[in-house]
Amino acid sequence: MSLKYITPAERFKKYLPKDYVELVDYGPFGKTQEEAGPGNMGQFKELVEEHPMCSGCWMAYYIRLIFASLPNPEDTVTLGTAGCGRLAISQAAVPFIYGNYGDQNAMASGLTRAFRLRFPDKTKDVITIAGDGGTMDIGFSMTMHSWIRGEKFTTIMLDNEVYGNTGGQSSGMSPQGAILKMAPKGKDFGKMPATELARAAGCVYTVRMSPTNIKKAAKIIRRAIFVAREVGPTFIHAYTSCNIEYSIPTHEVFADAKAQEKDRFTFEEYMTDEAKEVIERVEAEEKAARMARKAQKTEAVN
């Protein structure tokens, strides 16, 4: 939970697992996004590199992107519940709490408050990452109450529009007409209006998107985290298709994600005035820091 605790003394490195040493030396801890961010994934030791998810899983790609986008991975805790996503999230080099089905936002509420009491002078980011079932179906009441109470953490919903982890049953987020194992004649009602519900419940920053653009998706993740630190609850509703239950050939997964940008997941970003102020300030500070680093490099070369 901090650089101090994850960095071993030099003399002990030879006794530690190679993966751990490489993560400390070449991973994203304490580094900038230019050094270890989404723009150069594959060139540093990532927080999540292997997973048991299906071949071509779009959710696995987005989870990898989430962890590459974290502002302070060494001071971040993730929470989740039963679902495909936790198979990868639980294997990332970031503390993960696995709760009972759907209670991740309730746990995050308590954890966020505890961090503020225990570490009043430090920033500790809390993020719930769960599927559409865990967030909007079984976890609906706890999700809504965390937003209504104004809890300061980020909720990311991995919407594969089906209960993919338990055999392909339809969920509240499955599209109307979807033919699934528990809806053989086609689901007879539409998707729950997740972002609208989030705004009505008090979320100060919400986004609905299909994360096909790495740079844009990373910016959204960071915005949501920065705003949650200072203002209130934030919510990202991301399309992460289930290529197995929807019979999407692996080589067409990206094309499907692009198609959804023009259909159920047209890009939508909402922010309150307070959230906008935070975003503008933080992004201006990050830009100034990048320019300063660039000037230092140029000066060093000359």
Side-chain angles (χ1 to χ4, degrees):
M1 280 298 296
S2 74
L3 280 174
K4 177 181 177 181
Y5 293 121
I6 66 173
T7 305
E10 199 66 34
R11 70 184 69 178
F12 289 120
K13 281 188 176 181
K14 63 181 179 181
Y15 301 110
L16 295 172
K18 183 180 179 182
D19 273 351
Y20 184 85
V21 174
E22 289 182 348
L23 186 64
V24 172
D25 289 344
Y26 309 114
F29 299 122
K31 295 184 175 65
T32 66
Q33 287 282 287
E34 289 75 36
E35 296 171 311
N40 49 14
M41 287 192 297
Q43 299 177 47
F44 61 93
K45 184 72 172 176
E46 295 183 44
L47 295 170
V48 56
E49 295 186 325
E50 297 180 1
H51 60 80
M53 299 173 77
C54 302
S55 175
C57 178
W58 193 243
M59 183 183 293
Y61 145 79
Y62 185 59
I63 290 170
R64 181 185 176 197
L65 180 57
I66 291 171
F67 283 102
S69 305
L70 298 178
N72 294 101
E74 61 274 15
D75 285 302
T76 299
V77 173
T78 60
L79 301 94
T81 187
C84 296
R86 55 95 184 171
L87 298 172
I89 300 165
S90 61
Q91 297 192 33
V94 169
F96 171 72
I97 298 174
Y98 178 53
N100 295 319
Y101 211 161
D103 70 353
Q104 66 279 350
N105 276 45
M107 292 191 298
S109 298
L111 186 62
T112 302
R113 295 187 183 194
F115 279 156
R116 283 183 164 76
L117 291 172
R118 177 65 179 84
F119 305 101
D121 300 322
K122 296 182 180 179
T123 297
K124 302 290 183 180
D125 295 320
V126 175
I127 307 168
T128 65
I129 312 172
D132 45 298
T135 303
M136 278 288 147
D137 275 6
I138 295 176
F140 181 75
S141 63
M142 286 171 277
T143 298
M144 291 295 288
H145 277 281
S146 69
W147 292 343
I148 291 168
R149 290 194 302 266
E151 303 293 351
K152 294 180 178 179
F153 64 85
T154 297
T155 299
I156 300 178
M157 180 166 69
L158 309 170
D159 187 4
N160 62 2
E161 303 186 308
V162 67
Y163 278 82
N165 188 57
T166 53
Q169 300 90 341
S170 61
S171 82
M173 299 305 299
S174 300
Q176 187 168 10
I179 297 175
L180 298 161
K181 292 172 183 173
M182 296 298 285
K185 294 184 178 180
K187 186 188 170 198
D188 58 6
F189 62 96
K191 288 176 69 72
M192 295 172 65
T195 52
E196 289 90 338
L197 287 167
R199 290 196 294 273
C203 282
V204 296
Y205 179 78
T206 68
V207 170
R208 179 186 64 218
M209 71 182 307
S210 180
T212 59
N213 183 305
I214 290 178
K215 185 176 180 180
K216 184 176 182 179
K219 181 176 71 173
I220 295 303
I221 293 164
R222 293 172 67 80
R223 282 183 171 184
I225 294 171
F226 286 132
V227 171
R229 288 178 179 178
E230 300 183 35
V231 186
T234 60
F235 175 56
I236 299 175
H237 179 191
Y239 177 63
T240 55
S241 65
C242 181
N243 55 317
I244 301 300
E245 297 301 334
Y246 279 92
S247 301
I248 306 169
T250 299
H251 66 279
E252 294 180 10
V253 167
F254 181 74
D256 170 73
K258 289 290 288 184
Q260 291 311 316
E261 289 182 305
K262 300 177 182 179
D263 190 8
R264 297 188 296 277
F265 288 83
T266 52
F267 183 75
E268 173 191 87
E269 183 179 37
Y270 161 82
M271 64 186 77
T272 63
D273 291 339
E274 284 184 284
K276 184 178 181 181
E277 289 177 7
V278 171
I279 290 170
E280 290 178 344
R281 188 192 76 240
V282 170
E283 292 184 352
E285 292 171 350
E286 288 188 326
K287 182 178 180 180
R290 286 196 302 270
M291 296 299 289
R293 288 192 296 269
K294 185 177 181 180
Q296 288 178 344
K297 289 181 181 179
T298 301
E299 186 177 339
V301 171
N302 296 334

